[in-house]
Amino acid sequence: MRFNFVVARRGASRAVLRVYKKGVVVLPKALREEAGIKEGEEVVAEVVGGAIVIRPLKPRVVDVSPEEVEEAVEEEKGEWDRRLDALGKEAGT
């Protein structure tokens, strides 16, 4: 494997990478470190303006009480019950 690196201004690294069978691309250590991607972590890949952007998947942590979760689940359950009732009426049951 051969990687050609060019270090650009503002600390942004670049690398020329090869795409292997089944679309496998190896991200060099310098790029992973700069992006904060560690071994075993997941990344998100998306096409933005014709370019593939790969970024670390950093789930957001929110502070929610168990009571708030229970309330949200009950609201969702009620909504599904209403939908199922409406479907049952449409089907004539």
Side-chain angles (χ1 to χ4, degrees), residues 8 34 57:
E34 190 171 327
L57 175 63

Side-chain angles (χ1 to χ4, degrees), residues 16 25 28 31 40 44 60 64 66 80 87-88:
V16 176
V25 176
L31 291 178
V44 176
R60 292 185 182 153
V64 180
W80 279 103
L87 286 172

Side-chain angles (χ1 to χ4, degrees), residues 72-90:
V73 168
E74 286 300 318
E75 285 179 19
E76 191 68 20
K77 181 182 177 302
E79 178 62 29
W80 279 103
D81 287 343
R82 285 188 288 282
R83 290 179 183 184
L84 288 172
D85 288 345
L87 286 172
K89 287 177 184 175
E90 285 181 29

Side-chain angles (χ1 to χ4, degrees), residues 15-57:
V16 176
L17 308 174
R18 183 177 310 275
V19 179
Y20 294 93
K21 288 183 181 179
K22 298 185 181 181
V24 173
V25 176
V26 177
L27 297 176
K29 183 178 180 180
L31 291 178
R32 293 191 316 267
E33 286 178 346
E34 190 171 327
I37 299 169
K38 295 184 176 89
E39 183 178 346
E41 291 183 337
E42 294 181 321
V43 297
V44 176
E46 58 189 333
V47 177
V48 177
I52 298 173
V53 176
I54 299 173
R55 60 184 172 79
L57 175 63

